[in-house]
Structures are given as structure tokens and as C-alpha cells.
Amino acid sequence: MDNRQQDHGPSSVDGELEASILQLLASRAATSSICPSDAARAVGGADWRGLMEAARQAARRLVDAGEVEITQGGAVVDPAAAKGPIRIRRAR
């Protein structure tokens, strides 16, 4: 069953992506960052590419919650304005 198209709040896949982002960051040095594809791969396995936008959205929700920051070129950027490759790091 595909839960990605629910109308009532985040799906279980969304929750898995958020948890994966936090877990991946917790397993790395405090100054490290991850790519959204790392979380997509952890949750989606061989079908990870289809989860890329969902992973980016999960990162945006975690920014809103104060858990992480989204960066480009090492600088924190507004998630709504970020175009192209992004990195995710713990909030500082």
C-alpha cells in the first residue's frame, strides 16, 4: 500500500524520512551534513529516487521544527527558496 498520497497530515513514509534524517545526522559528527538522497536511500531502498522530493519536504518540516538547517555552499538558506542541490545539518 502506498501511503505517500494521504490527505491527512504526513504519511508514514514522511515520518520515516524525518526519522531517517535525524538518525543519519545523529550517527555523524556534529559538524557533518547529509544529502536528502541519503534519507531517500535509507527509506526507499532501490526505489529511492521517487522519494527525493518527499525527503526534501521532510527536511523542510524539520527546519520548521528547529531540528535542522538546510544549506547550499555551506551557507544556511531559506528552504522555500532553495533551488538545486541542498545539504541538511543539525541546527546550530
Side-chain angles (χ1 to χ4, degrees):
M1 181 173 170
D2 184 23
N3 291 327
R4 284 176 263 171
Q5 298 299 322
Q6 279 188 346
D7 292 331
H8 305 291
S11 71
S12 63
V13 170
D14 292 334
E16 288 178 52
L17 287 165
E18 289 177 18
S20 179
I21 289 168
L22 295 174
Q23 181 180 26
L24 287 164
L25 288 172
S27 70
R28 288 173 169 73
T31 57
S32 294
S33 64
I34 63 167
C35 179
S37 66
D38 296 327
R41 283 183 179 96
V43 172
D47 298 325
W48 67 272
R49 283 182 176 81
L51 293 178
M52 279 301 296
E53 184 53 35
R56 290 172 67 99
Q57 290 174 1
R60 288 182 195 110
R61 288 190 299 275
L62 291 171
V63 167
D64 290 344
E67 298 278 342
V68 303
E69 296 172 331
I70 291 178
T71 65
Q72 288 184 310
V76 176
V77 296
D78 177 358
K83 302 287 185 218
I86 62 170
R87 301 287 297 177
I88 307 163
R89 69 180 188 195
R90 291 183 195 139
R92 296 182 182 167

